[in-house]
Amino acid sequence: MPEQTLTAADSRTVRFGYHGSTEVVTRIIRLAGREEAGVRLSEYDIADPFRGVRAGELDVMIVKFGINEPDLVTSRVLTEDARAVVVGSGHPLAARASVSIEELADYDAFAPPGDFPAYVWDDVVPPRTLAGRPIRRNRRVRTIPEMMRMVAAGDAVHISLISLADIAPPGIKVVPIHDLPPAPVTLAWLRGAEVHDHIREFITAAEAEASR
């Protein structure tokens, strides 16, 4: 990881990349026994999620589901994020307490945005339901706001994670999916890069507390 000039105030700051809600991030910070003031959060672009870590701008980033990137290392599973579908408030499923993935095959869903790895998107938005029905991943966007506008208009549904309920804009409902397993949540960082002691301590402490 490229060296940076650090001041006394931020020499132990963890530069932490995340996407979407910060609720899961807060859980991990607590696992690591750190104060939130010692963590500098940066939201990464879902269309190019690993750019910040690869560029040395982030020390660690949050990862949901498994990744297979040769230049990145991941921690043990630290927590989980339950599955949900994001729909417009006027959608037929919006008032439900939960839905089945089988029902979601009746609606258009999204293809991976930008350069988001297709193999990870297969975990986020499975190509088929558990019974084998194809999910129509035919809507294409580059940004989450664009996706949310399309969902709010009722043009598609987004199969995602329950943590999005924390940041859902007006006109959006987040409904649990009761028959998909939760997403495992890990940290990822650049393989072979210099990892400062306070970053190693952060990762190790979070892993140790999560395993209790």
Side-chain angles (χ1 to χ4, degrees):
M1 187 175 296
E3 285 291 336
Q4 293 196 331
T5 301
L6 299 174
T7 67
D10 65 11
S11 62
R12 289 183 56 81
T13 297
V14 178
R15 300 172 303 163
F16 194 124
Y18 77 101
H19 177 75
S21 169
T22 60
E23 189 273 331
V24 177
V25 175
T26 299
R27 270 188 258 165
I28 293 174
I29 294 171
R30 289 173 180 165
L31 286 173
R34 291 292 296 264
E35 298 292 333
E36 292 187 31
V39 178
R40 183 185 307 151
L41 296 183
S42 298
E43 187 166 13
Y44 57 75
D45 182 0
I46 194 173
D48 190 9
F50 307 128
R51 188 202 64 78
V53 166
R54 287 172 169 156
E57 297 168 0
L58 299 172
D59 298 309
V60 294
M61 65 178 287
I62 203 165
V63 171
K64 299 178 182 180
F65 302 101
I67 62 170
N68 183 22
E69 302 293 316
D71 61 336
L72 300 182
V73 186
T74 57
S75 70
R76 300 174 187 171
V77 174
L78 301 177
T79 187
E80 295 179 334
D81 200 354
R83 303 308 309 279
V85 62
V86 184
V87 299
S89 57
H91 193 276
L93 301 177
R96 294 274 297 277
S98 71
V99 299
S100 166
I101 187 64
E102 303 300 332
E103 299 173 89
L104 301 180
D106 294 335
Y107 305 99
D108 287 351
F110 290 91
D115 295 325
F116 192 94
Y119 74 91
V120 181
W121 197 254
D122 285 347
D123 289 329
V124 181
V125 184
R128 293 185 177 275
T129 71
L130 301 175
R133 295 184 67 196
I135 292 178
R136 303 197 301 260
R137 306 185 302 178
N138 54 14
R139 298 305 179 100
R140 296 188 177 276
V141 295
R142 282 201 62 86
T143 68
I144 291 299
E146 183 183 358
M147 180 183 288
M148 290 300 174
R149 286 193 295 271
M150 194 175 291
V151 167
D155 293 335
V157 303
H158 178 41
I159 300 168
S160 188
L161 299 159
I162 197 68
S163 60
L164 284 184
D166 297 335
I167 58 169
I172 292 290
K173 296 293 183 182
V174 181
V175 183
I177 300 173
H178 58 249
D179 52 358
L180 284 183
V185 180
T186 63
L187 296 177
W189 59 97
L190 191 62
R191 185 185 300 277
E194 180 183 358
V195 180
H196 295 290
D197 288 345
H198 70 286
I199 305 300
R200 291 191 185 279
E201 291 166 4
F202 181 92
I203 296 166
T204 300
E207 289 182 319
E209 189 63 23
S211 67
R212 287 177 184 266

